[in-house]
Amino acid sequence: MARGSTRPTSRDVAQAAGVSQAAVSLVLGDKWRGRVSETTAQRVREAAHALGYRPNLAARNLRLGRTRTVLLVVPALTTEFFAGVYTGATRVAAEHGFGVVLYPSPEGIGPARDPFASAQAALDGVIASSMAADALTAIRGDQLPLVMLDSDPDGSLGAATVNLDIADGVRQVADHLLAQGHRRFLHLAADVASWTFEVRARELAARLAGTELGTVRAPISIEGARTAAEAALGRPGPRPTAVVCDDDQLAAGAYKAARRLGLRVPEDISVTGVDDLALATAIDPELTTVRLDAELFGERGMRALLAVLKGEAPEAGDIPVHLVVRGSTAPPPA
């Protein structure tokens, strides 16, 4: 091809490799096995690399009826956790020539309007957090492949589910506090109707059976948590010695409530969270919390959707989580 001419074409690659355009299409579409030899495939790849050839994905996708676009539906972006999920998903998507459109559900819950003229025509699939599940009705219809994140695998709307091992995270928190000697607990629970929070409540109750465990619900916000925790901790009678929070923002609210009541963390009351957001090390003392790998979560969600699109079984097993012990927990006061 002459220097300075237009971008190389598959015909140029075929001529350079001494093969047909059909062979080039098979090799660069990764459909050559059993149809052309390994030697021929390598020659085509080398010719494409030398010429700087890139397939015209738009034209190919138009022929295939595919957009190579995925929608990631998450709750309203109030923390960096879902930004991490998006980062992980886009990393894997890019490796396979896909793009990811991020769509925060209004208020994190409730129905959403279709962000496209027709999502079924504009998308190849959807990845959605269970916290935003109500947003799917208008977006997905009944036609698009769906992978659910943080969703009950026995009752999921999706063709596959990807979960963090949140139950084990709760067990790690409970075991840590029990080992320190705590026997009076307050569960500061997220006031969100979602499977992941139901799991946390159920596992905590099971692990702390035989102790004093109270529960108060709060919206996932620092001020909402402060109000709820201050009311609960200020009640007459024996005060809880540990506050187990569903989220790091709730934990920050518990800190504020404790200080308003003249309580020290952790000398008078221990506090734990879930997520390990940047917030966890910004507050003082730094927060004992369950670290969730948001980027790995997004990666696994995208890999699961790619598997569904290929008719393959996604990777099984929940993503491990682990407790990060910092300065917000200590043995209860004598």
Side-chain angles (χ1 to χ4, degrees), residues 69-320:
T69 302
V70 171
L71 189 69
L72 175 62
V73 185
V74 299
L77 297 176
T78 53
T79 74
E80 74 262 26
F81 179 80
F82 288 105
V85 173
Y86 175 73
T87 298
T90 55
R91 182 184 301 126
V92 171
E95 293 171 358
H96 294 82
F98 278 74
V100 179
V101 176
L102 182 64
Y103 186 66
S105 170
E107 305 299 326
I109 56 174
R113 297 171 62 182
D114 187 340
F116 304 94
S118 171
Q120 294 177 20
L123 302 169
D124 284 337
V126 177
I127 304 170
S129 163
S130 66
M131 290 176 65
D134 288 344
L136 299 177
T137 304
I139 295 171
R140 176 176 170 258
D142 296 320
Q143 306 301 317
L144 288 170
L146 170 67
V147 168
M148 292 297 298
L149 308 179
D150 252 351
S151 180
D152 183 353
D154 296 326
S156 174
L157 298 170
T161 58
V162 176
N163 287 321
L164 296 152
D165 195 351
I166 200 66
D168 184 56
V170 172
R171 288 191 288 267
Q172 292 178 51
V173 168
D175 290 351
H176 170 66
L177 293 171
L178 288 170
Q180 289 189 318
H182 292 277
R183 294 298 181 269
R184 295 198 306 274
F185 299 90
L186 174 66
H187 179 202
L188 187 52
D191 190 13
V192 177
S194 173
W195 175 83
T196 185
F197 295 121
E198 292 172 3
V199 168
R200 297 173 207 209
R202 184 171 61 245
E203 289 298 325
L204 190 64
R207 207 67 175 180
L208 298 182
T211 70
E212 296 179 33
L213 173 62
T215 300
V216 62
R217 297 188 177 278
I220 302 180
S221 72
I222 294 175
E223 283 307 304
R226 180 200 60 76
T227 300
E230 188 173 347
L233 295 174
R235 291 170 186 160
R239 182 185 293 120
T241 62
V243 183
V244 180
C245 303
D246 275 350
D247 174 273
D248 289 352
Q249 289 189 87
L250 298 181
Y255 272 48
K256 294 186 74 171
R259 290 189 173 126
R260 286 197 175 206
L261 294 168
L263 302 173
R264 298 166 298 166
V265 178
E267 291 85 356
D268 300 314
I269 192 162
S270 291
V271 180
T272 65
V274 175
D275 276 346
D276 199 24
L277 306 175
L279 175 64
T281 53
I283 55 180
D284 184 34
E286 294 186 356
L287 181 65
T288 294
T289 187
V290 178
R291 178 173 294 163
L292 310 181
D293 191 332
E295 291 192 18
L296 179 58
F297 199 22
E299 288 178 6
R300 282 278 299 273
M302 189 65 216
R303 292 190 194 282
L305 182 57
L306 291 171
V308 168
L309 291 172
K310 293 178 183 178
E312 299 172 355
E315 181 180 351
D318 293 345
I319 299 171

